[in-house]
Amino acid sequence: RQLPWQAWNRTGGKRSALLPMAKARYLLLLLPFVAYLYPPLYDRMEPRIFGFPFFYAYQLIWVALTSLLLAAVIWMKRSRR
C-alpha cells in the first residue's frame, strides 16, 4: 500500500505532491493536542459546567470535539477520492 506522498502520477511516473488543502486538513488534528499544552488555561474549578468543575468539563468537551474533528478529517479525505 502506498502512502499519499508516495503516489505516482499516471502520466509521467513522477511523485505527486499533496495539495495544500489536503495537508491542511491534518492540521485540524493538532488542535486537541495544542488545547492541552497550557494547563493554566483550564486548571481551575470555576465556572462549573453541567455540574462539573471546569477542569473536567474542559477535558470532556475536548473528547467530543476531537471525535468531531477526526470525523471531519476522515470525511474530507474520503470525499477527495
Side-chain angles (χ1 to χ4, degrees):
R1 179 179 160 175
Q2 288 185 338
L3 298 173
W5 56 85
Q6 296 171 332
W8 290 89
N9 189 342
R10 291 182 193 169
T11 58
K14 298 177 183 176
R15 284 187 178 182
S16 63
L18 282 175
L19 297 172
M21 191 61 187
K23 290 180 185 178
R25 70 177 170 229
Y26 293 111
L27 291 177
L28 288 174
L29 298 178
L30 287 176
L31 288 175
F33 176 73
V34 172
Y36 285 108
L37 281 179
Y38 189 63
L41 179 68
Y42 58 90
D43 188 18
R44 57 181 184 235
M45 296 294 284
E46 298 294 329
R48 291 187 171 268
I49 301 173
F50 300 115
F52 291 104
F54 185 76
F55 179 80
Y56 296 117
Y58 183 85
Q59 293 178 29
L60 287 172
I61 289 168
W62 271 106
V63 167
L65 287 175
T66 301
S67 62
L68 292 174
L69 287 171
L70 186 56
V73 169
I74 291 170
W75 178 78
M76 285 188 275
K77 184 177 178 185
R78 287 187 180 171
S79 67
R80 176 123 168 32
R81 289 183 188 174

